[in-house]
Amino acid sequence: MTRALTVGGARGRGTHRTIAEAVRAAAPGDTVTIAPGRYAEEVRLDKDVHLRPEHGTGSVELTAALVVTAAAATVTGLVVRGLDPSRPAVSVLDGAGVVLDHVEVHNGRIEARAVDAVAAVVLRDVAVHGAAGTALHLAGDVKAEAFDVRLDTVAGVGIVLSGAAQLAAVRLLVRATDGSGIRVRGTARLTLIDCRIDRAGRNGLLVEDAAAAVAEETRIDTSGAAAVQASGAARVRLTDCRITGPCASGLVVADDAELTATGCTVRDTAANALLAVGAAHAVLDGCLLTAAGFSAVHTAGTAEVHLTGCRVLRGAEHGVHAVEQSRVTLTDCDLRDLTMTGVHAGDRATLTADGCTITDVATGIRVASSEPAEVRRCAVLRPREVGVEVVTGGALTLAGGRVTDAAAAGIVIDTAAAVRVSATDITGGAGSGLVAWTGARPQVEGLRVDGVAKNGIYVAPGAGGQYTRCDVTGTKFAGLHVGADADPTFEHCRIPDTSTEPGSRATFSQCTIGDALLSPALPSPGAVDGVDIPDESLDDLLGELAELVGLDRVKRDVSTLVKLMQTVRRREEAGLPAPPLSRHLVFAGNPGTGKTTVARLYGRLLKALGLLRRGHLVEVDRSALVGEYVGHTGPKTAAAVTSALGGVLFIDEAYSLVPRFGGNDFGQEAIATLVKMMEDHRDDVVIIVAGYPGEMDRFIGANPGLASRFTRTLHFDDYDTAELVSIVEHQAAGHRYELTDVSRAGLVDYFTALPRGEGFGNGRLARQVFQEMTERQAQRVAELPDATGDDLVLLAPEDLPTR
């Protein structure tokens, strides 16, 4: 049976003069009720008793210290005032457990240390004021919970967790500390929910060694150093947290530490919003980084940073600045209103960006790193200088991008920069569209330049490069300018006019300059937009079809179609009505089965039959039809169809226009535009859609207009072993190589043993095998002291690829 003991007040039976005396007299489970007053004594709770004031919270003040060694003691409503702010006012020792409820601690700290046995601490509505060193120190094997705890005016660190200590805190407030707000060391673990750290003299939250911290819906305001810093091998996870300056940097990740932040805001930092150095790893998802005094994100060392769906706003320097050997990946991020570059990669840093928008910055993207950068589906809007710049020694692949209204050039490629540009639009702007500076030799395909104030493409003296299927319109200077000693090559391009300097050596193949077709070489079959297929014999074309390796079923289907169309043509010439006939086709088959080859031949056959006026082939995929923003897809799709008028539009992987799991997608807009254009130009274009057999059924079923127009499917079977060997032999003959009988038998064994899964390459694989054989043969022959003519021609068994 528990008892109630009293301390102080009216003397009577069961009343004790001191708290310590009452505790000594108490049995486990007893309650000690204390009369109002100040008690200058050290109390040692070595029993599971409950101390509480007789007349409510704050009426009892214990002056000295409270030491807990019992397993389950409870203290309610007391004020504990220490004698030395740098020493514990409340101590919890090995194996002890205590609940502090509505307790105030002045001039000292709460400390729990456990070396040999677990200590447990529960703090409810506890306040600690005026401690020195630290206000709450949990060391060793301590497990603590804190609810509505307030720590303030600390001449040191607010909370220190060390060893294997664990603290889970809800609605914790740490305010006005000279040192860090919370420091987590060793292997300690910290969880913060709906907490606040305010006015820390150093770091708001410092996590070191192998410690870990999790914070949800927590605010960190005004830190003298970093708001959150993780170093060593620390792990930090932040969710829906808010970090507000002034502070040095918002998030700092160093050494081998890892930080994950989701839905967080970091604002008004004197330095970086995120700083990652050493071998650190940081992942930010859906975060807002705004008003940074330095670059919003700075990475160095070998640090790796991933930003997904983040916004970077109003920075004083770069949005993202990657240097040394760091790696940065940006996905669907929005960077705007930045004083310097949106994204800058220097030294040997690696940049990958996909689906990002960069608005109102100096330069949109600047690549000065020797490591290849990859930028896909990104838009640079209204840069005050250049949209995308690659400096000397830089390397960039830019695909599916857009630069709008640049104050200088849209894209600038400096000397000897390794650059590939594809399917990119440059619109508006006060400078040229694309500038290839002296020594630059970019590979540019599918570039569209419209409405720039200077040249669409400017190739500086001594520059070069390959420019394929580029379209320049609406420029105020010449659409193309080629400098002295420049030797660029242009194929299948449309340019309104050109200007050249003396000594320029540009070459044009199947390009349209103004209204003139520049084609010094004969166009190859299936030439792209702007070139007609020359007249060819129907018998010759059918013979070419028959010579293709394999494809027996496809050959029969195409021959049947040719006969049917011949009949249609004769009926029309005789004045008879033509039977209903859709020339549009579905090509269903795995990669490498000859779909593009047959599509090109089909266009030439239709021209030979008089059913197409040009017969050329335009090959596109989703990226050429689908835009990156509302209103972009329709014009892109219409432009693709227009370029194919009089010929064949071949849409590879057409099923990618239909989301696999439904939902809204610009691909549906492309399909709707495609259906309308097929109707508007039903006699002047043939459309072939291609892809995996099962996927093509899903594509055709996505729109009733497709099902009514694509009524015939040609099935492209995988090549068997003999056909693959035949393709290799055909390649060898075309390049003046010969296979030995043993090599041929080895190829049979090689192709027979290959697994035939979905990724099997068919004819493409056979061509790759031939290329590998020639490379292996070259290495082998190079080591022969006296190579003969036969040695240079024969592909021996040792040249076969290894499995």
Side-chain angles (χ1 to χ4, degrees):
M1 177 180 294
T2 60
R3 299 175 298 162
L5 293 83
T6 58
V7 177
R11 297 303 299 266
R13 186 176 179 180
T15 301
H16 302 274
R17 290 178 301 171
T18 65
I19 301 172
E21 181 183 298
V23 171
R24 286 195 297 272
D30 286 352
T31 297
V32 176
T33 303
I34 308 167
R38 177 176 294 178
Y39 296 81
E41 56 177 308
E42 179 178 298
V43 175
R44 196 173 191 88
L45 294 182
D46 55 1
K47 300 174 184 177
D48 295 341
V49 297
H50 181 189
L51 302 185
R52 69 176 185 84
E54 183 179 9
H55 293 304
T57 299
S59 61
V60 173
E61 182 176 298
L62 174 62
T63 303
L66 176 65
V67 180
V68 182
T69 62
T74 302
V75 179
T76 302
L78 270 61
V79 176
V80 181
R81 187 176 299 276
L83 300 178
D84 183 342
S86 64
R87 297 182 61 80
V90 177
S91 296
V92 183
L93 305 183
D94 260 341
V98 67
V99 176
L100 302 182
D101 191 357
H102 288 77
V103 170
E104 288 188 22
V105 177
H106 297 266
N107 206 45
R109 66 178 176 270
I110 299 174
E111 180 175 279
R113 292 182 178 272
V115 178
D116 299 320
V118 176
V121 178
V122 178
L123 309 177
R124 296 195 185 99
D125 197 12
V126 171
V128 180
H129 309 284
T134 183
L136 174 62
H137 189 182
L138 307 178
D141 201 358
V142 177
K143 293 180 171 56
E145 296 179 345
F147 305 90
D148 300 301
V149 170
R150 301 170 305 284
L151 313 174
D152 62 42
T153 318
V154 182
V157 180
I159 298 175
V160 175
L161 305 182
S162 60
Q166 299 180 30
L167 172 63
V170 179
R171 295 181 299 279
L172 166 72
L173 172 62
V174 180
R175 174 178 288 165
T177 62
D178 291 349
S180 296
I182 302 177
R183 185 179 186 185
V184 190
R185 304 172 60 191
T187 60
R189 298 290 183 266
L190 170 69
T191 300
L192 302 175
I193 300 176
D194 191 19
C195 298
R196 184 176 181 186
I197 303 171
D198 184 27
R199 286 178 284 157
R202 292 189 59 77
N203 303 112
L205 172 61
L206 174 61
V207 188
E208 303 172 292
D209 306 325
V214 175
E216 299 178 6
E217 297 181 344
T218 291
R219 290 187 57 179
I220 302 177
D221 299 323
T222 312
S223 304
V228 176
Q229 179 162 328
S231 60
R235 301 291 182 265
V236 176
R237 187 172 77 246
L238 309 176
T239 304
D240 296 329
C241 294
R242 185 182 179 89
I243 294 169
T244 304
C247 60
S249 290
L251 307 173
V252 175
V253 198
D255 305 324
D256 292 309
E258 294 184 3
L259 179 141
T260 301
T262 304
C264 297
T265 297
V266 181
R267 67 169 63 245
D268 297 322
T269 58
N272 310 110
L274 168 65
L275 172 64
V277 296
H281 188 97
V283 177
L284 274 63
D285 190 348
C287 294
L288 170 63
L289 312 178
T290 182
F294 292 178
S295 297
V297 177
H298 183 88
T299 64
T302 59
E304 187 168 342
V305 171
H306 297 260
L307 304 183
T308 302
C310 293
R311 292 186 296 154
V312 179
L313 310 178
R314 299 192 302 279
E317 292 187 354
H318 305 289
V320 176
H321 189 205
V323 296
E324 297 178 356
Q325 298 181 57
S326 60
R327 303 176 66 88
V328 174
T329 300
L330 308 175
T331 305
D332 298 329
C333 292
D334 183 8
L335 302 91
R336 62 181 65 225
D337 297 325
L338 302 168
T339 302
M340 297 173 68
T341 304
V343 181
H344 179 280
D347 299 331
R348 293 180 58 193
T350 300
L351 167 67
T352 302
D354 189 356
C356 297
T357 301
I358 303 170
T359 308
D360 294 331
V361 299
T363 294
I365 299 171
R366 190 170 192 265
V367 178
S369 169
S370 58
E371 292 298 313
E374 187 169 330
V375 177
R376 297 188 179 277
R377 303 186 307 114
C378 293
V380 179
L381 312 178
R382 301 187 301 276
R384 295 183 296 277
E385 298 174 9
V386 175
V388 178
E389 181 181 14
V390 189
V391 305
T392 302
L396 170 67
T397 295
L398 178 66
R402 178 164 57 99
V403 179
T404 301
D405 295 331
I411 299 174
V412 174
I413 304 162
D414 210 336
T415 304
V419 175
R420 297 182 66 89
V421 177
S422 63
T424 293
D425 292 351
I426 301 173
T427 57
S432 294
L434 181 143
V435 175
W437 205 244
T438 301
R441 310 191 73 82
Q443 300 295 308
V444 182
E445 182 173 2
L447 175 70
R448 291 172 291 274
V449 182
D450 179 60
V452 297
K454 294 185 179 179
N455 304 112
I457 298 174
Y458 180 93
V459 183
Q466 177 78 34
Y467 302 81
T468 306
R469 291 192 289 278
C470 297
D471 196 347
V472 177
T473 57
T475 60
K476 294 184 180 178
F477 288 15
L480 168 65
H481 178 85
V482 182
D485 297 320
D487 59 350
T489 299
F490 295 87
E491 296 182 0
H492 312 307
C493 295
R494 293 194 303 180
I495 302 169
D497 51 359
T498 65
S499 63
T500 58
E501 298 177 15
S504 63
R505 302 186 305 279
T507 60
F508 300 86
S509 176
Q510 302 156 16
C511 294
T512 301
I513 308 297
D515 295 326
L517 176 64
L518 284 173
S519 183
L522 284 177
S524 60
V528 180
D529 189 22
V531 179
D532 293 342
I533 300 298
D535 292 335
E536 298 175 280
S537 162
L538 182 60
D539 289 339
D540 289 344
L541 292 173
L542 290 173
E544 187 176 330
L545 174 67
E547 290 175 1
L548 296 178
V549 175
L551 304 177
D552 291 339
R553 181 158 58 158
V554 171
K555 292 174 184 177
R556 289 194 301 270
D557 290 342
V558 172
S559 296
T560 299
L561 278 170
V562 168
K563 292 175 183 177
L564 178 60
M565 292 176 186
Q566 282 178 307
T567 302
V568 169
R569 185 68 173 167
R570 289 170 184 161
R571 287 181 61 90
E572 289 176 339
E573 290 172 351
L576 298 173
L581 174 66
S582 175
R583 299 176 297 176
H584 309 300
L585 298 176
V586 177
F587 282 6
N590 291 325
T593 49
K595 295 187 293 295
T596 306
T597 300
V598 174
R600 182 174 291 113
L601 188 54
Y602 184 63
R604 296 161 63 199
L605 283 165
L606 292 181
K607 182 182 181 186
L609 288 167
L611 298 176
L612 282 177
R613 55 187 172 87
R614 299 172 66 190
H616 67 296
L617 180 82
V618 175
E619 184 178 358
V620 297
D621 58 13
R622 177 187 167 92
S623 65
L625 303 177
V626 177
E628 295 82 29
Y629 54 91
V630 175
H632 192 201
T633 295
K636 284 187 74 171
T637 303
V641 177
T642 299
S643 68
L645 292 179
V648 176
L649 180 66
F650 181 81
I651 306 175
D652 198 15
E653 297 181 349
Y655 53 82
S656 63
L657 296 174
V658 182
R660 181 180 291 274
F661 302 107
N664 293 326
D665 182 82
F666 290 148
Q668 295 289 353
E669 182 183 351
I671 291 173
T673 304
L674 192 65
V675 170
K676 182 179 185 301
M677 294 287 286
M678 291 169 73
E679 178 61 27
D680 293 345
H681 303 280
R682 58 183 176 272
D683 295 325
D684 197 31
V685 70
V686 168
I687 294 180
I688 298 176
V689 291
Y692 292 110
E695 298 284 8
M696 294 310 298
D697 292 340
R698 179 170 62 84
F699 168 73
I700 296 301
N703 185 298
L706 295 177
S708 64
R709 287 166 175 81
F710 291 99
T711 59
R712 186 182 298 270
T713 298
L714 272 59
H715 293 276
F716 287 70
D717 298 325
D718 288 341
Y719 292 111
D720 61 23
T721 294
E723 291 167 342
L724 293 171
V725 173
S726 180
I727 293 173
V728 174
E729 289 183 309
H730 186 270
Q731 290 282 309
H735 293 82
R736 299 187 65 184
Y737 286 91
E738 295 179 9
L739 290 169
T740 67
D741 292 339
V742 179
S743 299
R744 191 175 293 104
L747 273 178
V748 171
D749 294 339
Y750 176 79
F751 286 128
T752 300
L754 286 178
R756 301 292 183 100
E758 184 177 282
F760 185 70
N762 282 291
R764 185 180 305 124
L765 171 65
R767 291 186 290 273
Q768 290 170 349
V769 166
F770 168 70
Q771 180 178 346
E772 183 175 349
M773 291 180 70
T774 61
E775 292 171 354
R776 294 170 69 90
Q777 187 244 33
Q779 293 177 0
R780 176 174 57 80
V781 171
E783 297 175 358
L784 297 176
D786 297 307
T788 66
D790 288 343
D791 291 328
L792 296 172
V793 170
L794 289 177
L795 295 174
E798 53 265 40
D799 301 325
L800 290 169
T802 56
R803 295 187 179 88

